Amino acid sequence: MNPALTQFGAQMSHLTGVRAIMKDIIETLRAGSGQEFINLSAGNPVILPEVEQLWRDCTAELLASPEYGEVVCRYGSSQGYQPLIDAVRTDFNQRYGLNLTDRNILITPGSQSIYFYAANAFGGYTTSKQLKNIVLPLSPDYTGYGGVSLIPEAVVACKPTLDIDAAAHRFKYRPDFSQLSIDQTTGCVIFSRPCNPTGNVLTDDEVKKIADLAAAFDVPVFVDSAYGPPFPSLNFTEMTPIFGGNIVHCMSLSKAGLPGERIGIAIGDEKIIQILECFQTNMCIHSPRYGQAIATRAIASGALADISINVIRPYYQSKFAIVESTLEQAMPKDLPWFLHRGEGAIFAWLWLKDLPMTDWELYQELKKVGVIVVPGSSFFPGLREDWQHKHECIRISLTATNDEIETAMKRLAQMVEKLYQSVDS
């Protein structure tokens, strides 16, 4: 059967970004014919025993409680499970000195759905046919932003400045405010903090400056805090979540050990939350209540925030340290390699300046030595400029074992050295 697709059907039936190469990675692993691969492509969090036990305990409490039937066997409010809304409101008011009410909070089926609602409620064509852009103020950023809009031309990214420490082989992306355009044609702004794929954390001042630029045009700013505090707290540098005004603080419990349950949390202005809630009602009624009920227990008890700081964060921070130290030892000092400063998330980001091949070709070459990474060009959604830098980076997952990461970085270093030598010879 070959049914005709609408414009939106054609748009949404194609995979974008990392999802588009996962098929190749899966086929590579299946067709390995005995070859062992170190898979550094995964975005799935590691199942940490302490984290799994927390969710087992919360599940046991739910099963033993009289509310189990009410949670699982009945529909609920589109806004979310009320005890979870209460737990989030209480925690954030106490933790950050806020004055949130119930109407400032929305529970969604994962945070990706928040950006889909936002991109299509505020971005795209208005009733008067004006195009409202979805602005990504820092590129590279989360690959999923490339597929959230039903109007792909609405997604516009801004090329960053590069803060380079050549001697240390480190660098950091920073927003280029001289190029960042937020005006009457902007529908909303979206960015991640900490950032997938780079681990970059925008400073408080940078976030406030972006929010102020957007506020002048009554534009909402969605801050993707899927890796931020208070859970999963995968920030390796100090950072303060910023609330209020036109900022919508967006969270996910996926990296806190619940990716299978799809729980997102949006905190923001009541009017914006209400628009997102209406969008959700029309799309899927409400987020699954089982996951919300166990999350309520983990948040209200303080256990989730505690385990995030004491278990989840140090686990991934130690993995990044292995990437860092191994590359420092194995990579030739005279080559133009630069590791993005590890400020958070579960990935490392490597820039190979003047790479003699594309990132996709490097991805294929690394597979030959049993290492799978993700080509960096997947992470520049909305960037219209033909920028060579886009084809010189790779994302490295921190989800493998210590030995696997060390071995993979050594193989990577050997491969890179040969590639640059082949150009010089």
Side-chain angles (χ1 to χ4, degrees):
M1 186 176 179
N2 189 27
L5 293 175
T6 65
Q7 176 186 345
F8 293 152
Q11 169 67 19
M12 298 306 289
S13 62
H14 288 88
L15 297 176
T16 60
V18 172
R19 292 289 178 182
I21 71 161
M22 287 309 295
K23 181 179 179 182
D24 180 75
I25 291 173
I26 291 169
E27 290 177 352
T28 297
L29 294 171
R30 285 177 178 169
S33 61
Q35 182 179 4
E36 291 187 5
F37 289 96
I38 299 175
N39 187 358
L40 302 182
S41 70
N44 246 335
V46 175
I47 301 176
L48 302 176
E50 300 93 332
V51 178
E52 182 183 3
Q53 190 59 52
L54 169 64
W55 296 120
R56 285 181 178 272
D57 292 344
C58 291
T59 298
E61 288 179 26
L62 174 61
L63 288 170
S65 75
E67 67 175 321
Y68 176 81
E70 189 70 22
V71 166
V72 176
C73 304
R74 298 187 69 84
Y75 290 112
S77 163
S78 293
Q79 187 186 355
Y81 180 57
Q82 189 61 45
L84 176 56
I85 292 171
D86 293 341
V88 171
R89 183 196 66 228
T90 299
D91 183 279
F92 276 65
N93 283 346
Q94 291 177 349
R95 191 182 301 276
Y96 299 114
L98 304 176
N99 293 297
L100 300 176
T101 71
D102 292 4
R103 301 308 304 166
N104 296 121
I105 300 167
L106 175 68
I107 311 300
T108 67
S111 61
Q112 177 85 357
S113 60
I114 301 174
Y115 314 123
F116 182 81
Y117 304 161
N120 294 292
F122 302 106
Y125 290 98
T126 66
T127 55
S128 59
K129 308 303 181 184
Q130 179 190 9
L131 179 63
K132 291 283 191 176
N133 291 321
I134 300 143
V135 174
L136 313 181
L138 189 73
S139 187
D141 209 331
Y142 175 49
T143 182
Y145 301 151
V148 294
S149 176
L150 294 171
I151 310 296
E153 64 267 28
V155 181
V156 179
C158 187
K159 181 179 170 183
T161 60
L162 276 58
D163 184 352
I164 302 171
D165 183 344
H169 291 277
R170 298 293 184 275
F171 83 110
K172 175 179 169 65
Y173 295 111
R174 295 191 183 279
D176 185 350
F177 287 100
S178 69
Q179 300 295 319
L180 179 57
S181 178
I182 298 176
D183 54 27
Q184 66 275 5
T185 66
T186 306
C188 65
V189 176
I190 305 175
F191 59 87
S192 60
R193 182 184 189 242
C195 177
N196 168 7
T198 66
N200 192 28
V201 173
L202 270 66
T203 67
D204 292 359
D205 286 344
E206 287 168 341
V207 174
K208 290 173 183 175
K209 189 170 182 178
I210 292 169
D212 288 345
L213 289 172
F217 297 94
D218 214 20
V219 169
V221 175
F222 293 83
V223 182
D224 181 351
S225 300
Y227 297 88
F231 25 81
S233 284
L234 276 165
N235 54 301
F236 308 152
T237 185
E238 285 297 319
M239 62 168 282
T240 306
I242 299 174
F243 304 91
N246 59 330
I247 292 176
V248 182
H249 183 78
C250 308
M251 302 167 58
S252 166
L253 297 190
S254 293
K255 299 309 185 288
L258 276 188
E261 285 307 303
R262 313 307 302 130
I263 298 177
I265 303 169
I267 301 174
D269 179 85
E270 180 177 339
K271 291 181 180 178
I272 296 175
I273 293 298
Q274 189 173 23
I275 292 168
L276 300 178
E277 181 185 342
C278 289
F279 206 113
Q280 175 158 284
T281 304
N282 287 319
M283 183 172 175
C284 62
I285 304 178
H286 61 69
S287 181
R289 282 158 59 85
Y290 164 78
Q292 294 186 70
I294 63 173
T296 300
R297 288 160 169 78
I299 292 171
S301 67
L304 185 57
D306 180 71
I307 212 166
S308 294
I309 292 173
N310 296 310
V311 176
I312 299 175
R313 177 194 289 167
Y315 179 86
Y316 290 103
Q317 194 165 11
S318 69
K319 299 289 184 181
F320 184 84
I322 294 170
V323 170
E324 199 169 32
S325 62
T326 307
L327 287 178
E328 286 177 347
Q329 294 168 12
M331 281 285 228
K333 303 296 183 186
D334 58 339
L335 293 186
W337 64 271
F338 302 94
L339 185 66
H340 195 283
R341 296 201 174 278
E343 298 177 333
I346 64 172
F347 307 104
W349 179 260
L350 183 64
W351 170 33
L352 299 167
K353 188 175 184 295
D354 301 322
L355 181 66
M357 58 176 56
T358 69
D359 57 323
W360 281 84
E361 290 168 335
L362 177 61
Y363 158 73
Q364 298 292 350
E365 290 299 311
L366 285 171
K367 287 197 297 185
K368 295 177 183 177
V369 295
V371 176
I372 299 177
V373 296
V374 177
S377 54
S378 305
F379 297 93
F380 294 83
L383 189 64
R384 312 291 166 78
E385 184 175 343
D386 186 18
W387 188 25
Q388 181 59 33
H389 179 88
K390 293 196 302 184
H391 307 287
E392 298 177 339
C393 302
I394 57 173
R395 189 188 78 173
I396 300 162
S397 174
L398 304 178
T399 56
T401 67
N402 293 356
D403 288 343
E404 286 174 332
I405 291 174
E406 184 175 349
T407 299
M409 291 305 97
K410 288 178 179 177
R411 292 179 186 175
L412 169 64
Q414 291 173 352
M415 173 70 69
V416 169
E417 185 172 14
K418 289 178 183 177
L419 290 175
Y420 281 99
Q421 284 177 347
S422 66
V423 175
D424 295 334
S425 60

